[in-house]
Amino acid sequence: MGVIVAAAFAFIWSTGFVVGRFIHGAAEPNTFLALRFAIAAALLFGACALVRPRMPDLRTVGAHLGIGGLVNGVYLCLVYVAIAEGLPAGIMALFGGWQPVLTVIVAAVAHRSLPRPSVVIGIVVSLLGLGLVLGPGASTGVVTAGLVVMALASITALTIGTMLQPAVRSAAMLPTLAWQMTGGAIVAVGGAVLLGESLPEPSARLIGALAWSVLGISVLGMALMLHLVRTTSPTTVAIVVLAAPPLAAIQTYLLFGDTLTPFQILGVVVALAGVGVARVAAQSSQNTSPTSMK
């Protein structure tokens, strides 16, 4: 059952990058996300009214809003803006696959401890792979420094938000999702206002993208992520996210004809291998630490 949940989450998560490309010309990124999160929150609060789960107190609501602002709002707003500005969805997904490395780095900073040499080697290898992927785009001007900064900032927000999820693991699932979608909506509205975006015209492309994004990604996908975090750990979620880059690359090829050069495909393999080495080494370090042996 756990494998099925992880596989379903990986596929659903990968489609988020594809939607960012799919809505091009139908809606501006922050406006689309504001609509998506607002609709999802309304549906989830409606479900709460029917099911009547235990609702969180004000302090926990604040935590949910903050986490949702990071995981849904800051993360996806930056992702969708980067894709709208020309960053290929497959490459953006590769940045998403770098989340396990950032999880290791953030944990090391939080605990004021240096990672093991094998972890550092994995990080260096992943960076080399990332360089192979970004190289051709950088030389042609497709991948700019600004886009790379946005991509890294988005993954940092996702990483911190995911690591904070266990702090509210005792809250019921429905209100958790509802309040975190609300947090994402607040950030997305702010982004839309800041960038001067306008409301989109209704279209089949917009409606289809919203339907899948709300029901598939925001509701089912986030529920699966919370389930994985609550029953396993943020580390497990980070490892599962490694499947997103190749899945997104396949989808963008089938839907839009996007391709990667053999050089970039090699870079994807090297980057994900480095991430895997870093994550496994970090997990091994945790398992052999004194606190884990008590």
Side-chain angles (χ1 to χ4, degrees):
M1 184 64 178
V3 174
I4 296 175
V5 170
F9 170 70
F11 170 74
I12 292 172
W13 194 256
S14 70
T15 64
F17 302 101
V18 181
V19 171
R21 168 72 184 279
F22 184 77
I23 63 171
H24 181 67
E28 294 180 282
N30 291 294
T31 304
F32 175 83
L33 290 171
L35 290 171
R36 165 182 160 180
F37 295 143
I39 295 170
L43 291 175
L44 289 163
F45 278 123
C48 288
L50 293 174
V51 178
R52 297 185 181 279
R54 181 181 177 183
M55 300 300 286
D57 56 31
L58 287 178
R59 182 177 180 180
T60 305
V61 166
H64 283 315
L65 290 173
I67 293 172
L70 289 171
V71 173
N72 294 319
V74 177
Y75 166 61
L76 281 176
C77 286
L78 289 174
V79 166
Y80 277 38
V81 169
I83 293 175
E85 292 296 320
L87 185 65
I91 293 180
M92 183 62 242
L94 178 60
F95 276 101
W98 213 59
Q99 184 197 354
V101 172
L102 283 180
T103 301
V104 172
I105 294 173
V106 171
V109 171
H111 295 98
R112 298 181 181 179
S113 61
L114 293 175
R116 296 172 61 179
S118 53
V119 175
V120 176
I121 291 173
I123 292 174
V124 171
V125 170
S126 71
L127 285 173
L128 290 174
L130 194 59
L132 292 176
V133 175
L134 297 178
S139 63
T140 60
V142 174
V143 179
T144 64
L147 292 178
V148 172
V149 169
M150 275 196 285
L152 290 176
S154 71
I155 303 308
T156 301
L158 173 65
T159 300
I160 295 173
T162 302
M163 294 180 73
L164 291 174
Q165 288 283 15
V168 292
R169 72 169 70 222
S170 61
M173 180 75 75
L174 280 176
T176 292
L177 289 170
W179 283 114
Q180 292 192 12
M181 289 299 154
T182 303
I186 293 171
V187 173
V189 169
V193 172
L194 185 64
L195 297 180
E197 296 181 1
S198 57
L199 289 173
E201 294 291 332
S203 67
R205 178 179 288 250
L206 174 63
I207 294 171
L210 277 175
W212 170 250
S213 295
V214 170
L215 299 176
I217 304 175
S218 289
V219 177
L220 180 57
M222 288 301 297
L224 291 175
M225 187 188 81
L226 285 175
H227 173 77
L228 288 172
V229 170
R230 291 178 174 189
T231 57
T232 56
S233 69
T235 296
T236 301
V237 177
I239 293 174
V240 173
V241 167
L242 288 177
L247 287 172
I250 293 171
Q251 292 169 60
T252 54
Y253 169 73
L254 294 175
L255 292 173
F256 313 115
D258 290 356
T259 59
L260 296 176
T261 66
F263 197 66
Q264 288 177 307
I265 293 174
L266 174 63
V268 171
V269 174
V270 172
L272 294 183
V275 169
V277 169
R279 188 59 261 169
V280 170
Q283 187 64 49
S284 175
S285 177
Q286 292 173 5
N287 291 338
T288 57
S289 66
T291 55
S292 67
M293 298 174 65
K294 288 182 180 180

